[in-house]
Amino acid sequence: MNIRAVAAVLAAAVAMPLGAAQATDLEVTHWWTSGGEAAAVGEFAKAFNATGNKWVDGAIAGSGGTARPIMISRITGGDPMGATQFNHGRQAEELVQEGLMRDFTDLAQQQKWAEIVKPTSLLKSCTFEGKIYCVPINIHSWQWLWLSNEAFTKVGVAVPKNWDEFVAAAPALQKAGLVPLAIGGQPWQVNNLFSVLVISIGGKDLYQKVYADKDAAVAGGPEIAKIFKAADDARRMSKGSNVQDWNQATNMVITGKAGGQIMGDWAQGEFQLAGKKAGVDYSCLPGLGLNEVLTTGGDAIYFPLLEDEAKSKAQEVLASTLLDPKTQVAFNLKKGSLPVRGDVDLEAANDCMRKGLDILAKGNVTTSTDQLISQDTQKQLEDLMAQFFASPSMTPEAAQKRFAEVIASAD
């Protein structure tokens, strides 16, 4: 059965009345598998189970790049889960176009999601042809440099206040046998690190010209040449990381084996799980301490069309639960992300989360690359950056030439 045929069958099934629906099990697939992430997703499960339904955890080990093809294959193959994680943006676009995802517009209007979800770009990312197909659950930003206070104390260097000071401190860390910059070996990590350098060093306008306007001339110009010089610094400072997963790199910072890591705010969940205190054991520099602008990406939950009436009703219950104020606080405090609701109590927020909330309140935000470029373009950039960071023989000039070519053909 082809994709469109599957969509037609499921659409007809969901149109059936839900009056007889009862509490049931609902499988939720995701890639939240690190310690901090597992603790956070446990809050969603607890809240959903309290409704009388049962959260069946469908965690898929590895990154989103590993999990998404599995999720998509199940949905297109006629074996959909009850709900699934995707990032804000265009990752589920084709599934929505094929009619395989459930339309939640009515529920969104009833519960006034447009009024409570901030910034509005998050709900816009869930919208296709005027219909809402997902629930935004958090705000994640990539633009953070996480620093080990222990590592800098050990080498007798003050904790850096920005990227330039961090680069200057690298030789002292290396001399002491520490890795200045911990980076995992997965392509998405180095590609997103590069986009962080673009916006944090080059500024918001440069970032917009490259990723939003897809200006190939700018991508091949002198401003981006400076970014590739910084990326060259980053790959030299990361020598000796020898880890694959992002949370393994974070652990190097937590244990003082590395000076720092550029990673999204979800890294904070790992610090909290390890009992580390922000501002005491570790420091955080939004915008690398240079340009405090954050991208408002993050995670959303989509709901495939299902034949089972009870499970379809449970999908509605889960959607409501995910946006409940108490659930939003419990999940995001453990995840390290910011809530999508601006009306929740975050008195327990730590030093780093408060920095993020302050930047959000000032409106110093922009759209994430997930929302600006297609998955195909994203993959091309990941392949390029993976080669650049793994091959010292590839010059910054050669890498920039290929980068400009990818941007020129980006969609």
Side-chain angles (χ1 to χ4, degrees):
M1 184 179 292
N2 62 33
I3 293 178
R4 293 187 183 279
V6 172
V9 170
L10 291 175
V14 172
M16 297 165 61
L18 301 177
Q22 298 178 353
T24 186
D25 296 353
L26 198 69
E27 181 190 10
V28 184
T29 55
H30 59 85
W31 58 84
W32 292 311
T33 54
S34 75
E37 291 174 324
V41 79
E43 295 294 336
F44 276 161
K46 182 168 64 176
F48 183 61
N49 291 343
T51 69
N53 294 285
K54 182 180 179 182
W55 175 290
V56 178
D57 200 69
I60 300 173
S63 65
T66 300
R68 281 190 296 273
I70 297 172
M71 297 166 174
I72 292 170
S73 178
R74 282 189 54 184
I75 295 168
T76 58
D79 180 31
M81 61 295 291
T84 189
Q85 171 198 10
F86 283 107
N87 294 125
H88 297 312
R90 300 171 62 180
Q91 292 174 355
E93 189 174 72
E94 291 184 7
L95 296 173
V96 171
Q97 290 174 331
E98 293 295 343
L100 294 169
M101 289 299 190
R102 187 171 174 188
D103 175 3
F104 266 81
T105 307
D106 289 344
L107 185 67
Q109 291 176 343
Q110 292 170 13
Q111 299 182 353
K112 300 181 179 180
W113 292 2
E115 296 180 17
I116 64 174
V117 174
K118 305 295 180 184
T120 57
S121 60
L122 300 180
L123 198 57
K124 183 178 179 180
S125 292
C126 286
T127 305
F128 179 75
E129 295 184 348
K131 303 292 184 180
I132 296 172
Y133 289 91
C134 65
V135 181
I137 56 173
N138 63 2
I139 302 169
H140 268 316
S141 53
W142 252 98
Q143 295 71 32
W144 296 85
L145 175 58
W146 305 94
L147 300 170
S148 167
N149 291 2
E150 174 188 344
F152 289 98
T153 299
K154 180 178 180 179
V155 300
V157 175
V159 177
K161 294 182 175 60
N162 57 50
W163 172 257
D164 296 330
E165 291 183 8
F166 179 71
V167 174
L173 294 168
Q174 290 170 323
K175 186 176 180 180
L178 305 180
V179 175
L181 183 65
I183 302 177
Q186 297 158 327
W188 64 269
Q189 295 184 53
V190 287
N191 181 49
N192 282 288
L193 179 149
F194 184 83
S195 70
V196 171
L197 295 176
V198 172
I199 195 169
S200 299
I201 295 175
K204 185 176 178 180
D205 289 344
L206 180 63
Y207 174 90
Q208 288 292 121
K209 288 176 183 177
V210 172
Y211 294 107
D213 301 338
K214 302 171 181 63
D215 190 324
V218 172
E223 291 178 285
I224 291 297
K226 294 178 183 178
I227 306 304
F228 271 96
K229 169 59 173 65
D232 188 36
D233 290 337
R235 69 175 174 177
R236 286 188 289 100
M237 291 190 294
S238 67
K239 186 178 180 180
S241 286
N242 299 326
V243 294
Q244 186 71 5
D245 296 331
W246 69 267
N247 52 305
Q248 293 174 316
T250 305
N251 188 62
M252 292 179 67
V253 181
I254 291 172
T255 57
K257 296 177 181 177
Q261 178 193 24
I262 293 177
M263 184 51 59
D265 50 15
W266 50 88
Q268 190 169 195
E270 302 302 301
F271 284 97
Q272 291 182 188
L273 192 66
K276 302 298 183 180
K277 186 175 180 180
V280 177
D281 302 305
Y282 67 98
S283 299
C284 54
L285 300 179
L288 308 188
L290 299 173
N291 280 302
E292 293 190 347
V293 178
L294 301 179
T295 53
T296 53
D299 302 298
I301 298 296
Y302 285 77
F303 300 85
L305 287 163
L306 301 178
E307 296 182 20
D308 187 289
E309 294 182 36
K311 293 186 185 300
S312 294
K313 184 62 179 178
Q315 288 179 322
E316 298 177 12
V317 175
L318 177 58
S320 299
T321 302
L322 295 173
L323 283 177
D324 178 82
K326 291 182 180 179
T327 310
Q328 277 280 300
V329 171
F331 174 80
N332 285 292
L333 284 177
K334 289 188 176 179
K335 188 69 164 62
S337 49
L338 302 177
V340 298
R341 299 186 63 131
D343 59 350
V344 296
D345 180 11
L346 280 173
E347 186 177 344
N350 66 21
D351 179 64
C352 292
M353 184 176 281
R354 289 186 186 278
K355 288 182 180 180
L357 289 169
D358 182 57
I359 293 170
L360 190 65
K362 292 177 180 176
N364 295 341
V365 298
T366 191
T367 310
S368 71
T369 56
D370 283 330
Q371 297 162 282
L372 296 174
I373 58 178
S374 70
Q375 285 300 290
D376 178 64
T377 299
Q378 193 91 326
K379 181 65 167 58
Q380 292 180 59
L381 291 175
E382 288 179 1
D383 290 344
L384 168 59
M385 294 305 165
Q387 183 180 358
F388 178 68
F389 273 80
S391 307
S393 60
M394 179 181 247
T395 66
E397 292 77 17
Q400 183 179 5
K401 183 176 183 295
R402 285 183 52 188
F403 179 76
E405 291 170 352
V406 173
I407 295 300
S409 62
D411 57 357

